[in-house]
Amino acid sequence: MQLAYSSAERAFLAEVRAFLAPWRGLGQYLQGRDHAGLRAFYKALGVKNWLSLGWPVDHGGRGLPPIYEFLLWDEMAHARIARPPLSAGIVAKTIIRYGTDAQKARWLEPIRTGELMFSLGYSEPEAGSDLASLRTRAELGPEGYRINGTKIWSSSAQDSDYLWLLCRTGEVASRAAGLSLLIVDLRAPGLRIRPMAKMSGNVFCELFFDDVIVPVDQRIGPQDGAWKMMNASLADERHVQFPPKRVLADYETVRDWAMAHGLDRDPVVRERLAELAVDVLECQAHALRVLTAQGDDVRASIAAAANKRASTDTIQAIARAAMDFGIPAALTTAAPIEQLWRQTLEESLGGGTTEIMTSIIARQGLGLKA
Amino acid sequence: MGGGARSLDLALPPEAVELEESVRRFCERRLGKDVNARRDMPFSWELWAEMAALGLLEMAGTDMEQAQLFACIGAEQLGYHGFPGPVAQSIAAAAAGLADWDAVAAGERLATVGAGTTVAWAALADDIVLITPAGLCSGIAGAAIDTLGRSAVAEVGAGAALPGDAHTVRARFDMALAAYTGGAGRFLVDIAADHARTRRQFGKALGEFQAVAFPLAEALMRLDGAQQLARAAALAIDAARADAADLAAAARLSASRAALRAAFAAHQTFGAYGVMEEGPVGWLSRRIQEYAVLEPSVRGIRQTLPLQGAAVLDPELWPVVEET
Ligand SMILES: Cc1cc2nc3c(=O)[nH]c(=O)nc-3n(C[C@H](O)[C@H](O)[C@H](O)COP(=O)(O)OP(=O)(O)OC[C@H]3O[C@@H](n4cnc5c(N)ncnc54)[C@H](O)[C@@H]3O)c2cc1C
């Protein structure tokens, strides 16, 4: 066993911190509503070639191991600046693995430079946890794919350029074996977007497809072959899925707030903060497991599920503990606590629910049929 | 097996059942019959006066036999429907010796009760009752504050002393808030269970997954316990038991914990729908959390509650009834 960082990794971290300093006020990690600000920030990352740290060099990337992306987005989470854009993660990495040369030439460069923003179109009103039951249909015709159906909960679709759409090209009964991935222009005729406010203050969207036409060359990978690609891209992104410094930032917010109000002098509060500090450390341990399990798919999948579950449990416990400390200042919208209380509610759902994560651990970690 | 009147009996007296039914019917008529469509409704004077016309507040201010049990049952129902306004606080204010209590009971004036410097509904209230270590005093509302629970919170300063007994007001406050909060928690469990019965994933109703069903069942179990504690506290207040305030405080702590558990389980059961601003859960879960934090707070109860337990089933503490 070894816990050490290379001098190159340390130097990178120092560079990241220096770069982030002027962006610290952006505050889009929890809120994510300032899209002009976010776009400017992603473009600045593009200039540094930091949106493509892990991409192969011959695709315009830096060819660096996952620890670099982890260090970058972990710092970002700590400073509450922004989350990794879908475009440079799942979208680009899937195109790199499965796209044609023409698709790589068309999409990778504007993604690398932070020009293009993507939103994720997976969930449907009747297909949430059970994604393989989705029904949004893509019929192949002479003009391309004709899409009909409804998507829901697409984060930030109202401000994005393209949708990474998972849709049905096979029979409904084919479940996961009949799904394809398409890139859909969010301004395409026949597509209506309905933004909906979340309790956190962010927005997710419902998308109604009424004979929306998508050119065939915007299908990534084989028709009906989406499931395998999605699993691969999920694996590609495990190390940035839930950064431990997000958890740390929440802890520091509550700890500092408690201290500012003199609550830490109360032994009960002190004990609770100590318990939470250990929870925060445990999240770092889980992240360590994720980072070191690369290449071993089962171990990585269990570690990622544990990391997601532990992290979301912890941030919810932190916000709710602050309420338990029981001073009315926690309730005011001017203070950070009530925002954390609202925001953390959604974290145990988005990106894989707590229940589904737990069943992965039970099934893959223990061989139980949960 | 013995027959005759049972000394221990959880069945409510017929008049209390009648009140419960009339409050339920009123809420369904005025707030909408479809509980799954319930959303936050701002405070309305008209609605408040109609609620008061049910006689609940007036009754809370009398010495009628089991008056506080009736108040408790009414608060449970109003909590269940998330009725907007200082429901529990008004029940407590009935003991504060307000000069215009009759107008408050009639829904023409609005009263609220709190402690410290931030009080729910103070931004709207005509009469603010502050519980202080030195007794009761009236509160003077300052600036309104935007808060998580959106219960018209305002900063409050201390005014003139009030004649009521602070101990009694506090006991009623905790009892009625326990009832309201517990009712609200039960509402969230019910709508979440309804969702779990009807929404299907993986070819099954969500409720067939124990990961979904068990948290709701656990919340229900705790809410059921809290409900009986609140009702027992109401009876203890009615019976002028010396430890009634402690029982009420325990009931509030119990109801608050159970209702929060219910709220978080409901958020999770509804999936993404459950974290929408216009969703079925958040409007009420916010209020449950807010009521736990505002003073006199649940934390304060944790810090001061006497550490002995068995105050509900002790025969020495309850009145004697003759067997028939
Ligand atoms: C903040 C946020 C952002 C999101 N962003 C996007 C996005 O950009 N694009 C997109 O496509 N989707 C997005 N989603 C949707 C997300 O993927 C779904 O919410 C998630 O898959 C759960 O689906 P559901 O909401 O329909 O809940 P349901 O599937 O109806 O589940 C409801 C509850 O039942 C539980 N449950 C379901 N099945 C089982 C089971 N077999 N065993 C045990 N428990 C079970 C769930 O865990 C959950 O607690 C987002 C959601 C959130 C909250």
Side-chain angles (χ1 to χ4, degrees), chain B residues 113-318:
Chain B
V113 173
T117 55
T118 356
V119 175
W121 305 107
L124 297 171
D126 304 292
D127 296 298
I128 301 170
V129 178
L130 283 182
I131 304 170
T132 77
L136 296 179
C137 69
S138 63
I140 301 154
I145 308 170
D146 280 336
T147 56
L148 173 71
R150 300 167 172 158
S151 51
V153 172
E155 282 174 14
V156 171
L162 286 169
D165 172 41
H167 198 65
T168 308
V169 170
R170 176 65 198 269
R172 292 188 189 188
F173 178 86
D174 283 337
M175 176 278 293
L177 213 52
Y180 185 93
T181 308
R186 180 60 198 255
F187 171 80
L188 294 179
V189 165
D190 282 356
I191 59 166
D194 200 38
H195 184 71
R197 270 189 295 273
T198 49
R199 169 136 176 113
R200 298 178 73 82
Q201 290 288 283
F202 303 100
K204 291 182 184 172
L206 289 181
E208 291 185 41
F209 301 116
Q210 293 188 341
V212 175
F214 280 13
L216 295 175
E218 284 161 9
L220 175 66
M221 168 189 96
R222 288 179 157 83
L223 286 164
D224 281 345
Q227 182 186 49
Q228 294 312 327
L229 280 184
R231 291 179 179 184
L235 284 180
I237 298 171
D238 280 325
R241 263 176 53 175
D243 64 345
D246 293 339
L247 194 50
R252 181 157 163 238
L253 175 53
S254 169
S256 178
R257 287 193 315 207
L260 281 170
R261 185 181 272 267
F264 296 138
H267 274 297
Q268 191 70 15
T269 302
F270 275 100
Y273 183 46
V275 295
M276 277 176 70
E277 181 61 34
E278 297 292 315
V281 184
W283 66 279
L284 200 50
S285 70
R286 288 162 169 264
R287 196 178 303 159
I288 291 170
Q289 179 68 78
E290 181 144 304
Y291 278 179
V293 174
L294 285 173
E295 291 178 60
S297 69
V298 165
R299 174 173 181 245
I301 293 174
R302 278 197 219 103
Q303 290 173 328
T304 55
L305 194 71
L307 298 181
Q308 72 269 14
V312 173
L313 282 175
D314 188 343
E316 302 296 322
L317 295 167
W318 293 106

Side-chain angles (χ1 to χ4, degrees), chain A residues 119-125 127-130 152-155 198 204 346-347 349-356 359, chain B residues 195 199 201-202 206 209 211-212 268-273 275:
Chain A
S119 177
L120 191 72
Y122 286 3
S123 307
E124 295 183 3
S129 300
D130 184 13
I152 198 165
W153 318 126
S154 292
S155 300
K198 299 190 224 175
F204 40 30
E346 69 182 44
E347 297 285 11
L349 296 160
T353 68
T354 287
E355 291 74 14
I356 298 297
S359 74
Chain B
H195 184 71
R199 169 136 176 113
Q201 290 288 283
F202 303 100
L206 289 181
F209 301 116
V212 175
Q268 191 70 15
T269 302
F270 275 100
Y273 183 46
V275 295

